[in-house]
Amino acid sequence: MLVVFLGPPGAGKGTQAGRLSAKYGLPQVSTGDMLREAVAAGSELGRRVQSIMDAGELVDDATMEAVVEERLRQPDAHGGAIMDGYPRTRVQAESFERLLASGRHGAVDLVLFLEVAEETLVQRLSHRRACSQCNANYHLEFKPPATGGTCDRCGGTLVQREDDREEVVRDRLAVYRTATQPLVSYYRTRGLLYEIDGAGSIDEVFSRADAAMAGAVSA
Ligand code: AP5
């Protein structure tokens, strides 16, 4: 099963994709996490994308296509995946269709679109903290770590992402509106879009996403 999360920065894509991944046994394919890992490792890819990410701009489509194609070839993704952050341009959506059609996955089964008001997005992102070692995500108010500034999972130091500074968040939202929001109608016309109210607690949003997922699994 191939599921795509769509929604603006801070909508909760990563949070909900992680929970659905654990429940349904499908890998969470987070392009943002993969790029941040490349930056942390100092690889050629990481050096190329760091300043683009820090500025809140999108990495070019050809690079992203290659990253995703390689990831979906891994054995854990043979049965499907939950896409968190890809596709996010029309070019990516079209090339993703071709990639899926040429391989074992076939096609996208479900697109979960998280809708959240802009003030809430800014609030969520400005209070997000991420583990510098394992990328686990926290929120200072809604999902705080058990002990101060360290990660519950691995003990790593929690940091604020460079692109979570408020001025960069505003730029990311503008990029989202121009480049990614058109995918809402793209997937709606294909009958794949499931709109989810992303307001409310993490548990409340999860039960909505889970209901959509369960419906698609049993269809
Ligand atoms: P990426 O990491 O994908 O960033 P994003 O799409 O902007 O999404 P975020 O991770 O900021 O938000 P989210 O929706 O996952 O929210 P989260 O669950 O963390 O991409 C980063 C960069 O990489 C891009 O800007 C670009 O440069 C590059 N990139 C990646 N993919 C690309 C692609 N395909 N093409 C080109 N470039 C690409 O939640 C946010 C916070 O809110 C957390 O603190 C969380 O704990 C909290 N929270 C979540 N849900 C709730 C809730 N219901 N109530 C209260 N708090 C909540």
Side-chain angles (χ1 to χ4, degrees), residues 7-17 28 30-33 35-36 49 52-61 64 68 84-89 92 114 116 120-121 123-129 137-143 161 163-164 172 175-176 198-206:
K13 302 181 296 295
T15 301
Q16 300 300 337
Q28 173 183 2
S30 165
T31 45
D33 282 353
L35 295 174
R36 280 184 287 278
V49 302
I52 300 170
M53 296 178 73
D54 286 351
E57 300 295 329
L58 294 183
V59 174
D60 68 279
D61 292 327
M64 296 314 302
V68 166
D84 163 17
Y86 187 91
R88 62 212 273 168
T89 66
Q92 290 179 15
L114 289 174
V116 180
T120 307
L121 298 172
Q123 205 275 346
R124 284 186 187 173
L125 291 176
S126 59
H127 291 85
R128 171 165 63 184
R129 295 294 180 271
N137 256 333
Y138 297 87
H139 188 280
L140 294 179
E141 188 179 345
F142 303 121
K143 194 186 166 193
R161 271 168 50 174
D163 62 352
D164 278 349
R172 286 164 65 200
V175 169
Y176 168 79
S201 72
I202 292 173
D203 285 346
E204 285 165 344
V205 178
F206 176 69

Side-chain angles (χ1 to χ4, degrees), residues 20 29 36 46-47 53 58 65 67 93 116-117 124 127 132 134 169 179-180 192 197:
L20 289 181
V29 174
R36 280 184 287 278
R47 289 195 301 277
M53 296 178 73
L58 294 183
E65 284 166 29
V67 165
V116 180
R124 284 186 187 173
H127 291 85
S132 52
C134 75
V169 167
T180 309
L192 295 171
D197 179 4

Side-chain angles (χ1 to χ4, degrees), residues 27-152:
Q28 173 183 2
V29 174
S30 165
T31 45
D33 282 353
M34 286 191 279
L35 295 174
R36 280 184 287 278
E37 279 160 20
V39 170
S43 68
E44 185 276 327
L45 171 65
R47 289 195 301 277
R48 197 150 45 83
V49 302
Q50 178 163 22
S51 60
I52 300 170
M53 296 178 73
D54 286 351
E57 300 295 329
L58 294 183
V59 174
D60 68 279
D61 292 327
T63 297
M64 296 314 302
E65 284 166 29
V67 165
V68 166
E69 182 172 3
E70 168 64 23
R71 178 65 186 88
L72 290 184
R73 268 205 225 109
Q74 304 307 310
D76 68 325
H78 285 179
I82 300 180
M83 305 302 297
D84 163 17
Y86 187 91
R88 62 212 273 168
T89 66
R90 170 120 191 178
V91 170
Q92 290 179 15
E94 289 171 349
S95 82
F96 195 43
E97 266 178 29
R98 289 193 295 275
L99 172 69
L100 296 178
S102 69
R104 66 180 73 227
H105 297 102
V108 171
D109 295 291
L110 176 68
V111 178
L112 299 174
F113 170 44
L114 289 174
E115 292 183 279
V116 180
E118 186 156 327
E119 314 75 71
T120 307
L121 298 172
V122 175
Q123 205 275 346
R124 284 186 187 173
L125 291 176
S126 59
H127 291 85
R128 171 165 63 184
R129 295 294 180 271
C131 176
S132 52
Q133 284 181 32
C134 75
N135 270 326
N137 256 333
Y138 297 87
H139 188 280
L140 294 179
E141 188 179 345
F142 303 121
K143 194 186 166 193
T147 49
T150 54
C151 178
D152 296 346

Side-chain angles (χ1 to χ4, degrees), residues 193-213:
L193 196 81
Y194 193 101
E195 299 182 39
I196 295 174
D197 179 4
S201 72
I202 292 173
D203 285 346
E204 285 165 344
V205 178
F206 176 69
S207 53
R208 294 172 201 142
D210 188 29
M213 188 79 180

